[in-house]
Amino acid sequence: MPVPEAVLPDLDQVLHDVADYARPYAVDGHVADYIPVLAESDPGRFGMAAVELDGTEHTVGEVDEPFPIQSISKVFSLVLAMQKADAAEGVADELWSRVGREPSGDPFNSLVQLEHESGIPRNPMINAGALIVDDVLLDHCEDSLHSTLELLETLTGEPVEVDKQVLDSEQGAAHRNRAMANLMASFGNLRHPSDEVVDAYTRACAISMTTRQLARTTRFLANDGVEPDTGKRILSPAHSKRVAAIMFTCGTYDAAGEFAFQVGLPCKSGVAGGIISLVPRHLGVCVWSPPLDTAGNSLAGRVALRRFVERCDLSIV
Ligand code: GLU
């Protein structure tokens, strides 16, 4: 359980210590290069932000530098689907009959498991699972990108946009995602044309945000589904808890067990080096450092989160 507010350490000081400790680890990582524009990322960038439920922001490094959110968008697509499930019966049953809730233990873009498991992806935090979520959203949102941007604007209080250069680069390199969508279609687990689904998915990955903004976005998950600045309910408490549970068990590719062991908080990473996290009832958190470890998670980001949790004694386990 999180410790009471009164014994929280000085978070500004903690973040500076964490950054000094974690930054050097980035040299052992590699920036993602299978999406050409990501290969140009500056490996030396680092930012970390922790935002309290009362809005107090603690930051270190380049927290106002935008970067593509990539797979972090999978959380927001799932949130939109859960909103639909809160509003209408049957949506949750349909979704969970088409995508599982188990860690994959395989790379995020693996086709092998999908073939073995008859086109039902293990969870919504890997590419195939997110494609199913996007397929479901195509039935329930007039324009799922617009809905995602609206959600993000509600959560950050600021306008949020797609980076067109990233989108072009991503669309040109989406071979595996197209293969996954087609494989799922061949098993009868895709309702819309695969191009349409992949397009919705890549557009969400190309959304550009800053570390500070992303730290704000998870506060509602730390607050039983209510955005703390406005008091607006984003999700029911049950669905809020479930999104956080899926982040915890499936949010960091095939290193989710290691993250639970080292960090012990719900997390979701993206291949541009961002990781969002949250401390229930206390904080929204984001760290960004582009070089990745072999599982595809930000290397210095993982080290920073581990150090942060050790310093604050805020792990949920
Ligand atoms: N757009 C990336 C892809 O589809 C996202 C991967 C990620 O961040 O995990 O490969």
Side-chain angles (χ1 to χ4, degrees):
M1 287 294 287
V3 292
E5 201 86 35
V7 298
L8 267 182
D10 174 345
L11 290 178
D12 292 299
Q13 185 57 50
V14 168
L15 284 184
H16 281 85
D17 294 349
V18 163
D20 287 346
Y21 178 83
R23 272 184 119 123
Y25 282 83
V27 297
D28 292 326
H30 299 281
V31 300
D33 56 7
Y34 72 102
I35 299 171
V37 79
L38 295 186
E40 294 159 23
S41 313
D42 176 352
R45 295 292 175 86
F46 182 96
M48 187 164 183
V51 184
E52 297 186 47
L53 296 190
D54 70 4
T56 309
E57 299 191 337
H58 308 274
T59 66
V60 62
E62 292 137 298
V63 291
D64 295 311
E65 192 68 35
F67 62 89
I69 67 172
Q70 293 294 334
S71 264
I72 293 172
S73 63
K74 293 174 169 86
V75 172
F76 306 118
S77 300
L78 182 62
V79 169
L80 284 182
M82 294 290 93
Q83 284 183 327
K84 302 300 170 192
D86 276 332
E89 253 180 66
V91 179
D93 289 345
E94 189 213 331
L95 180 74
W96 298 126
S97 69
R98 297 177 55 197
V99 57
R101 300 186 291 249
E102 291 294 342
S104 70
D106 263 342
F108 64 97
N109 57 3
S110 169
L111 283 149
V112 178
Q113 195 169 57
L114 203 52
E115 168 77 14
H116 276 304
E117 298 182 357
S118 308
I120 309 283
R122 278 285 175 99
N123 66 69
M125 298 289 115
I126 53 174
N127 290 18
L131 288 164
I132 294 298
V133 174
D134 288 326
D135 192 40
V136 169
L137 289 178
L138 284 170
D139 277 332
H140 295 278
C141 299
E142 231 168 81
D143 176 344
S144 61
L145 178 65
H146 181 77
S147 303
T148 308
L149 293 175
E150 248 180 17
L151 170 67
L152 292 172
E153 289 179 13
T154 301
L155 298 177
T156 60
E158 291 175 8
V160 174
E161 288 179 352
V162 167
D163 182 326
K164 296 280 188 312
Q165 197 200 350
V166 172
L167 179 58
D168 288 346
S169 186
E170 175 119 19
Q171 281 176 333
H175 314 297
R176 292 186 78 87
N177 291 328
R178 289 187 211 292
M180 276 181 250
N182 286 322
L183 185 59
M184 292 191 288
S186 80
F187 281 108
N189 195 18
L190 212 66
R191 308 279 185 263
H192 297 86
S194 58
D195 280 352
E196 231 177 279
V197 178
V198 173
D199 194 50
Y201 167 81
T202 43
R203 289 193 300 160
C205 289
I207 291 172
S208 179
M209 292 177 73
T210 67
T211 304
R212 184 196 299 275
Q213 289 174 328
L214 282 164
R216 292 179 191 151
T217 63
T218 56
R219 287 188 307 151
F220 82 95
L221 293 170
N223 193 38
D224 286 333
V226 173
E227 203 291 309
D229 290 342
T230 57
K232 184 173 177 189
R233 177 161 292 289
I234 307 295
L235 282 183
S236 61
H239 280 147
S240 173
K241 196 182 290 184
R242 285 172 180 155
V243 170
I246 288 174
M247 289 169 68
F248 188 75
T249 52
C250 310
T252 43
Y253 312 120
D254 44 335
E258 196 56 32
F259 260 77
F261 186 79
Q262 290 191 18
V263 178
L265 292 175
C267 292
K268 178 74 196 97
S269 55
V271 289
I275 307 176
I276 56 169
S277 186
L278 61 120
V279 179
R281 284 170 287 287
H282 286 288
L283 297 170
V285 177
C286 179
V287 59
W288 172 53
S289 164
L292 309 178
D293 62 17
T294 50
N297 297 300
S298 168
L299 206 169
R302 170 166 52 80
V303 173
L305 286 168
R306 187 187 73 206
R307 188 75 169 180
F308 180 73
V309 161
E310 283 167 3
R311 285 291 312 272
C312 298
D313 195 18
L314 280 173
S315 145
I316 62 167
V317 290

